[in-house]
Amino acid sequence: MKKFLALLLAAMMVMALMAGCGSNNNANNNSAKSADDIADEMTSENGKYEIAFVTDVGQLKDKSFNQGTYDGVKLYANANGKTYKYYQPANGDQATDDDRYDAMKAAVDNGATTVVCAGFMQEGALSRVAAEYPDVNFIFIDGYPIGLDNVAGIAFQEEQAGYLAGYAVVKEGYEKLGFSGGGGGTNPACCRYGYGFVQGANDAAKEMDKTVTIDYTWQYGASFSASPELQAMMKGWYENGTEIVFACGGSIFQSIAAAAAENDGKVVGVDVDQSFDSPTVVTSAMKGLSSSVEWALGKVYAGQFAEIGGKGTSLGAKDNSVGLPTATWSMTNFTADQYETLFNDIVAGKVTIDADAPTEGGIADMTFSNVTVNYR
């Protein structure tokens, strides 16, 4: 149970309930119990902010990727008396590399000595800004090495989290599944989540000697934003028999959860424990966004950034950085003990999960022994 408890603690750190945009008060309240107790905005005595966060596309308070990552910034800064600020690139979902560059530059000009950047789309702007400011440390979440020693790429083995979710819901008894991904099929993390989900569902179905179906789409998810078009499509899925959909992509969760609520459907959340956001959520495929940011910031302030700078770190089950929140899921057939066994088998390498995820329509060309994928 050690790994389960560690994962649960990580999940507790990234829980995002109903926090608003925060107040303009100094947030260095070391008695805070969770990230929700810490303001999103704060003041500093000199108007400068030491740790900066640059958001990915979508909203800061998306109750998923952006929020989970920023929670790590807030928790570390609060516990260690550091000032912090978030920056959102201009033009929202249509932000360009120049917009991201401007946000990063503004962070550095405003005193940041460490900048946390969320999302693989930051690479172009990050390459420019990090080269211009070699004395500033950059933490690239969902990123990879870009040839600069002051950039630490941190990625996750999302295929493992997706696998656990797919396996669990099939063992729970669901036979008509769905996957709706963000990034239009080009986001590596979402691709890994989806591919792992199919593999997990296939292995569980094979063990149960049954065949399950998965509706699979990247439509209306490119911007990671909620939309009436996506909600209408998901409504159609549920009305036609889809029982549960993996909502994989930031704020698109809102559209899928709304469609599920209207049609007695269910949802698998992503990145953080989203059971607090909708009663339709059965479980969530999580990764340690908050804890990984805290870990990387700890390296910075311990003078150990060189250990991760210029390199790529990939975190998975063996690091307690992916998993399902057994304390809050609503499953009754698939037990926590069964989950623990499966999790440990992944850590031990007894379960093989292919990480080479197909992009865009690649899943349509693949075959699985006990899963029929209907690519939409």
Side-chain angles (χ1 to χ4, degrees):
M1 295 297 289
K2 181 179 179 181
K3 290 183 173 61
F4 163 65
L5 292 172
L7 184 60
L8 178 59
L9 289 172
M12 293 292 288
M13 287 195 298
V14 299
M15 285 178 185
L17 289 147
M18 300 297 292
C21 289
S23 64
N24 226 9
N25 300 321
N26 191 305
N28 286 327
N29 170 17
N30 297 90
S31 64
K33 298 294 191 298
S34 75
D36 292 329
D37 299 323
I38 306 169
D40 294 323
E41 297 179 350
M42 65 176 294
T43 58
S44 68
E45 292 182 0
N46 62 1
K48 299 292 185 180
Y49 299 87
E50 188 172 348
I51 304 174
F53 172 60
V54 178
T55 69
D56 194 12
V57 293
Q59 306 167 20
L60 173 72
K61 307 299 288 188
D62 60 2
K63 300 181 180 179
S64 186
F65 181 60
N66 277 328
Q67 187 167 346
T69 307
Y70 193 41
D71 281 353
V73 171
K74 294 197 298 180
L75 285 163
Y76 184 89
N78 178 77
N80 293 279
K82 307 297 182 184
T83 55
Y84 62 92
K85 183 177 177 64
Y86 73 89
Y87 298 79
Q88 292 185 286
N91 296 312
D93 295 338
Q94 304 303 313
T96 65
D97 281 350
D98 286 341
D99 294 326
R100 297 182 184 94
Y101 170 86
D102 289 343
M104 294 177 199
K105 189 175 186 304
V108 176
D109 290 345
N110 203 27
T113 57
T114 300
V115 181
V116 178
C117 302
F120 81 112
M121 287 189 288
Q122 306 275 15
E123 179 185 357
L126 186 53
S127 296
R128 291 171 56 193
V129 129
E132 292 175 11
Y133 297 94
D135 295 329
V136 175
N137 298 313
F138 293 86
I139 298 170
F140 187 14
I141 299 296
D142 266 9
Y144 31 77
I146 60 173
L148 296 169
D149 290 341
N150 60 331
V151 178
I154 298 177
F156 299 88
Q157 296 166 32
E158 291 92 355
E159 70 280 357
Q160 295 179 349
Y163 181 97
L164 288 164
Y167 186 97
V169 297
V170 171
K171 285 290 187 177
E172 180 66 11
Y174 295 100
E175 297 184 357
K176 296 182 179 180
L177 285 54
F179 170 83
S180 178
T186 63
N187 179 291
C190 289
C191 290
R192 289 192 292 268
Y193 268 131
Y195 187 36
F197 186 67
V198 175
Q199 292 178 75
N202 186 71
D203 283 358
K206 189 174 182 179
E207 291 175 10
M208 299 170 75
D209 194 25
K210 63 165 60 173
T211 298
V212 302
T213 61
I214 301 181
D215 291 333
Y216 198 102
T217 190
W218 298 108
Q219 290 189 63
Y220 307 120
S223 67
F224 297 89
S225 298
S227 70
E229 293 83 4
L230 177 60
Q231 185 171 335
M233 184 171 72
M234 292 296 107
K235 180 176 183 290
W237 281 19
Y238 286 119
E239 288 177 344
N240 286 316
T242 299
E243 299 167 301
I244 187 167
V245 176
F246 185 6
C248 185
S251 295
I252 70 173
F253 169 86
Q254 297 166 15
S255 298
I256 298 168
E262 292 176 2
N263 296 277
D264 197 28
K266 299 298 180 182
V267 177
V268 175
V270 75
D271 287 342
V272 300
D273 183 358
Q274 294 189 301
S275 62
F276 302 94
D277 303 324
S278 170
T280 65
V281 174
V282 171
T283 189
S284 299
M286 304 190 309
K287 59 187 182 185
L289 293 167
S290 176
S291 56
S292 69
V293 171
E294 291 185 84
W295 170 78
L297 288 171
K299 290 287 188 184
V300 171
Y301 288 99
Q304 299 169 349
F305 186 78
E307 295 178 7
I308 60 174
K311 304 177 179 68
T313 301
S314 180
L315 303 173
K318 63 180 175 58
D319 311 292
N320 290 314
S321 291
V322 298
L324 308 181
T326 58
T328 59
W329 74 20
S330 61
M331 289 186 286
T332 57
N333 296 327
F334 184 62
T335 69
D337 285 345
Q338 290 173 314
Y339 167 78
E340 181 82 0
T341 297
L342 177 62
F343 186 90
N344 288 335
D345 284 347
I346 292 174
V347 172
K350 296 178 181 179
V351 175
T352 301
I353 306 171
D354 185 7
D356 189 16
T359 59
E360 299 182 21
I363 196 80
D365 300 323
M366 305 182 75
T367 57
F368 302 89
S369 62
N370 292 70
V371 165
T372 298
V373 177
N374 301 315
Y375 186 75
R376 308 297 187 185

